[in-house]
Amino acid sequence: MKRLVINLDRSPERLAHMSKEFARIGIGFERVAGVDGKEHPDLMLQPQHAIHATRPLSGSEIACLHSHRACWTIIAQDEAPYGAVFEDDMVFSSKAGALLGDTSWVPADADVVKLETFFSRTVIQRRRISAGHGFSMFRLRKGHPGAGGYLLSRRTARDFLEATAQVNIAVDDLIFDPIISAGKTIYQLVPALCAQDQFVGGRLPSLLDQERDAARTASGLMTRQKKPMAVRISREAGRTARWIADFCRFRQRIVVPLDPIEAKD
C-alpha cells in the first residue's frame, strides 16, 4: 500500500515534519507535490458543487482538492487495493506503523477508512469491527470534517476522480458527507490514528483554515447573530429528535479520540 503525503514546494518545513513523523513510527512514504493555488488561478474557473452556493470555495480549498486528486490518480493506477493519503501537518499515534504497514485489517466492503480525528462531534454505527492493536472501526453516519488522513480503495479513487472531473468541491465534503458520498461504505477508525498538529502541537497552523476564515470574515459569515427564541427552541427540539432517532437506529454520537502519540511502557 502506498502512503502518500501532499506537500507544497514552498513548505519544506512541513515535509521535514512528516519525515520525522514517519521515521518515528518506522515506516516510509512518498511525497506528492501539492497543487499551489497561487500558481493555478485557472482552477477557480471550474464550476463549484451546489453545496458551496452560500460560500464559494477559496483558492486554497480548490487547490487542496486537486492535490488530493493527484493522490487519487496514483492510487487508481496502483496494483494495491488501497492507498493512504495524508496532508503534511499530521501527527501520528505511536502505533500507526502497525496499521499502515498492510491492509489485512481493512473490511472487504470498505471504500474509505477515515484515520484522523477533527475533535468534532459525529455519529457512528454502534457495530464494532476490530482492527487490532487496540483500534476498532465503525461505520461513519454523519459528516466528520478534515481530509488529513484516510485510506481509499482503488475503485473509489477512480470514482472520486470521475466525480470531480468537471466540478470543484471541498475534499472532506466529498468523502465524509454521507449525503454526498451516498453509496460508499465509509468507516471511522476509533481511536484515531492521526490528527492535525494544530490540535496537538500547535506548531503548524492550518494554511487552509487561514484563507477560509478570511473569506468567511469578508463575506460576513463569521459574524454570529443571536437567533430568535423560537428558532433556538426549534433547533434544540430537532437536536433531541435526532438523538432519539440515532439511538433507535443503533447509532452513537462521539468525539473521536486520538490514540496516544507517545508509546506506553
Side-chain angles (χ1 to χ4, degrees):
M1 176 180 71
K2 291 184 182 294
R3 295 165 292 273
L4 308 173
V5 172
I6 298 170
N7 173 250
L8 293 172
D9 291 340
R10 58 183 167 90
S11 298
E13 74 286 352
R14 291 176 177 251
L15 179 59
H17 163 77
M18 292 304 291
S19 296
K20 291 180 181 178
E21 282 297 301
F22 274 95
R24 180 170 63 83
I25 62 175
I27 202 164
F29 71 94
E30 296 180 30
R31 175 184 180 268
V32 176
V35 175
D36 197 330
K38 295 181 179 180
E39 298 179 2
H40 296 276
D42 56 298
L43 295 177
M44 296 286 291
L45 301 177
Q46 185 165 291
Q48 296 189 18
H49 192 283
I51 194 176
H52 302 299
T54 303
R55 182 194 64 81
L57 293 172
S58 68
S60 291
E61 288 174 299
I62 293 173
C64 181
L65 166 66
H66 289 273
S67 296
H68 282 262
R69 291 188 87 251
C71 294
W72 301 343
T73 299
I74 294 172
I75 294 172
Q77 296 173 350
D78 194 38
E79 295 181 356
Y82 288 90
V85 179
F86 299 99
E87 294 178 353
D88 60 4
D89 58 350
M90 306 308 292
V91 176
F92 290 114
S93 153
S94 63
K95 296 183 288 187
L99 292 188
L100 295 179
D102 70 271
T103 58
S104 60
W105 53 275
V106 181
D109 65 341
D111 292 310
V112 183
V113 180
K114 187 175 177 69
L115 303 176
E116 75 168 320
T117 178
F118 212 70
F119 298 103
S120 62
R121 192 172 299 277
T122 188
V123 176
I124 58 174
Q125 202 74 36
R126 292 184 190 174
R127 180 172 176 268
R128 169 184 173 274
I129 300 176
S130 174
H133 305 283
F135 295 92
S136 298
M137 282 173 293
F138 301 82
R139 287 287 300 274
L140 190 62
R141 295 301 189 182
K142 186 181 178 182
H144 186 184
Y150 58 90
L151 294 186
L152 191 68
S153 74
R154 184 173 54 210
R155 180 188 62 186
T156 302
R158 294 169 180 166
D159 290 343
F160 284 168
L161 284 170
E162 182 178 354
T164 56
Q166 301 295 330
V167 65
N168 287 325
I169 183 173
V171 177
D172 48 356
D173 285 334
L174 170 67
I175 305 176
F176 301 115
D177 185 320
I179 296 177
I180 297 177
S181 61
K184 297 298 182 186
T185 302
I186 314 294
Y187 284 96
Q188 171 69 59
L189 193 67
V190 180
L193 200 70
C194 55
Q196 287 184 317
D197 179 78
Q198 64 170 322
F199 296 124
V200 296
R203 294 158 297 188
L204 298 174
S206 171
L207 299 178
L208 194 61
D209 284 349
Q210 290 176 352
E211 182 174 339
R212 182 161 44 199
D213 289 347
R216 286 176 175 170
T217 299
S219 66
L221 293 176
M222 290 289 282
T223 303
R224 299 181 65 91
Q225 297 181 349
K226 191 173 183 179
K227 302 292 184 182
M229 179 62 71
V231 173
R232 284 181 281 164
I233 292 174
S234 176
R235 178 175 293 179
E236 189 60 34
R239 185 179 293 114
T240 301
R242 287 192 296 273
W243 183 90
I244 294 172
D246 287 336
F247 182 82
C248 293
R249 288 181 291 181
F250 301 100
R251 296 179 179 181
Q252 174 186 354
R253 296 191 174 201
I254 183 177
V255 174
V256 179
L258 175 65
D259 194 62
I261 296 171
E262 301 297 332
K264 296 181 179 179
D265 295 332

